[in-house]
Every structure is written in C-alpha cells, then in structure tokens.
Amino acid sequence: MLPDPRLLSRWPLPADATLAPAPSGLINRTYLVQAQGRPLAVLQQLNTAVFSPVVHLDIEAVTAHLASRGVPTPRLIRTREGSLWHTAEDGGVWRLLTSVGDRTVDRLATPAEARSAGALVARFHAATADLTHEFRSVRDGFHDTQRRMDALVAALDHHRDHRHRDPVARLADGLLEAWRSWGELPHLPARIVHGDLKVSNVRFSGPEARALIDLDTLGRGTLDAELGDALRSWCNPAAEDEAPCFDLERFAAAMTGYATACAEAARGGP
C-alpha cells in the first residue's frame, strides 16, 4: 500500500509528483517519487524501532562532506519548513532523498562490477578520512565479532533441549573453531565507515558503481569489519536460497579496485 500522496506536499516537489513502490528496501519502507515518467527522489519511512530520527543529522554531515569532495551521494531534501525529516501526525518519520544511479542489484554479475564497487568504497573512505563528526546515532557492538561469538555460545547453552540444537551446534562448532584460529587480531584505528556494505547498498549507473545508499548505518568502525562484510556479500554469486560460495575472481577484482582508488586518492587523483 502506498502512503497518502498528500504527504509529498511537505517537500518542495512538482504538483504532478506521484509515488510508486520501490523494488528494494527491507528495513525502511521505500517509495519512488516520479513526475512525467522520470525519477525525482526517494521517499522513505524510517524504521524507528531500529533507528532514531537523529540519524539524519549524521547522514547530513557525512553526505555534505562527500559532496564537497566530489563523491556522488544521495542527499536529504529538506521539508518546506527546512527540516531534514518530517514527523507525521501518526508519529511516522519520513524523509526525502535525491535519487542517484539507475539500478540496484542483489548479486554482482561480473568481476568488473566488483572492481568498480571496491573503487567506490575506497573513494568514500578517502573522502571521509578527515571528517570530524560526533555521531548521534551509535550502534554499539554491531560489528563486534567476539561479542557475536559469545552470544552464539550462550544461545547454544541456553537452548540445550531445542529440537534444532544439534545441527545448529555442528555449524556453530565450525564457526567458533575458525574464529579461534585467527588468534589475536591486529589493532586497527576506528574511522568513518558505511557499516552495511551488502551489494544492494551499492547503487549502479550502468556497469559502474555510482554511490552508496542506505546510510543509516554510518558510524565509526574498522576496515576489517567494513570490507569483510562487503566481500561476504559481493563475492557470493549464489542466490539467497542457494548454498553460499565465495568467488575468488570477484574478491581479487574488488580488492584491486579498492587498492587502485586508494593509491589515486593518495596522489590527489580522481
């Protein structure tokens, strides 16, 4: 069901703007705003069970910085009253974003797309490296792997009588053993990261990765979790209901794209 189209009057949009369902979007309800058959913007209802409206202050700070460095990014469109978001009478929190790119994908089709996505993320990291911003919306421990492993052990102990415990325990044993085999991880400095680089959060224009979207997860983190989460998604050519695999060609392409763009940024290139 589409929201009441009168909601669009809260923003400076053409009178003939209409709403259409978006083909993707899991956490926030997402709609396309169109006029005369062309895309104008993206309307979203924030999932306030997951995110506080103050997340928009973080999005505005980071995207303004990205734009100043020439990195394409969606931008929040202020309401007619000048707010970054609109709170409806029923308490729903709505925002309007500029549209970037022309397609969202659920799987990378080629290593070339992986290379382009890696380069885009490197440009994002390079552009935000000098940004000083105190994040208002903070997700403590979201990418804390040890915390996740401890929770897994606790769940197995708590659900000893569950009918699915044995098959889950066999899978968990492999995960826990692999994690222990890493030993002590190197200390990496915290930096501004996207925080959820699954492939559907990379917006493409044709074959090229254009911009990162779904920016509610912006914050400070380390590159191992940031890139590991990205590669987990990008390098799996299987569908969601198929056994996952890890494609080394996509991995090599993504990391080559990332490293090349990092080197260009260090030289002051594009």
Side-chain angles (χ1 to χ4, degrees):
M1 177 184 295
L2 295 176
D4 187 333
R6 291 176 295 180
L7 180 65
L8 295 180
S9 66
R10 308 304 306 185
W11 289 271
L13 290 167
D16 60 346
T18 60
L19 287 169
S24 61
L26 296 176
I27 302 300
N28 303 312
R29 293 172 59 196
T30 304
Y31 307 92
L32 304 179
V33 181
Q34 303 171 328
Q36 299 181 4
R38 62 185 181 88
L40 291 180
V42 176
L43 178 71
Q44 289 186 315
Q45 183 178 19
L46 186 72
N47 186 336
T48 52
V50 180
F51 302 108
S52 164
V54 298
V55 72
H56 297 110
L57 303 177
D58 298 330
I59 293 173
E60 176 66 8
V62 174
T63 57
H65 192 77
L66 289 171
S68 73
R69 299 302 173 86
V71 178
T73 182
R75 297 297 308 276
L76 289 165
I77 300 173
R78 292 181 181 268
T79 67
R80 293 185 184 276
E81 293 76 27
S83 176
L84 295 174
W85 69 90
H86 167 66
T87 302
E89 292 183 359
D90 63 0
V93 175
W94 295 86
R95 67 184 178 210
L96 193 67
L97 293 145
T98 58
S99 179
V100 291
D102 56 26
R103 65 188 183 100
T104 297
V105 301
D106 295 320
R107 288 183 286 175
L108 294 180
T110 65
E113 288 183 347
R115 180 179 179 124
S116 182
L120 171 63
V121 173
R123 291 192 292 272
F124 170 90
H125 287 157
T128 56
D130 65 341
L131 173 60
T132 300
H133 174 69
E134 183 176 347
F135 284 87
R136 301 287 298 276
S137 177
V138 179
R139 301 177 305 156
D140 289 330
F142 185 75
H143 279 304
D144 185 340
T145 308
Q146 185 60 59
R147 180 178 176 178
R148 301 296 183 185
M149 294 300 173
D150 292 343
L152 176 58
V153 171
L156 290 170
D157 184 63
H158 181 72
H159 297 285
R160 289 184 176 276
D161 297 327
H162 195 283
R163 66 185 187 279
H164 294 308
R165 186 189 184 281
D166 288 346
V168 171
R170 287 193 293 271
L171 178 60
D173 287 344
L175 291 172
L176 292 166
E177 179 58 31
W179 175 241
R180 285 190 290 265
S181 71
W182 278 88
E184 185 176 354
L185 297 178
H187 174 74
L188 295 174
R191 60 181 302 151
I192 291 178
V193 296
H194 178 280
D196 185 18
L197 286 177
K198 60 179 179 285
V199 65
S200 59
N201 283 342
V202 180
R203 185 77 169 158
F204 283 80
S205 290
E208 298 298 322
R210 178 67 174 168
L212 301 180
I213 61 172
D214 282 357
L215 303 174
D216 300 297
T217 54
L218 289 168
R220 297 194 180 275
T222 55
L223 281 185
D224 58 339
E226 173 88 324
L227 296 181
D229 191 34
L231 295 166
R232 167 201 61 81
S233 173
W234 301 359
C235 300
N236 178 22
E240 289 291 333
D241 57 352
E242 298 174 354
C245 60
F246 192 87
D247 185 88
L248 291 178
E249 189 176 7
R250 285 173 172 78
F251 169 77
M255 295 312 298
T256 298
Y258 187 89
T260 301
C262 282
E264 290 174 349
R267 294 194 302 267

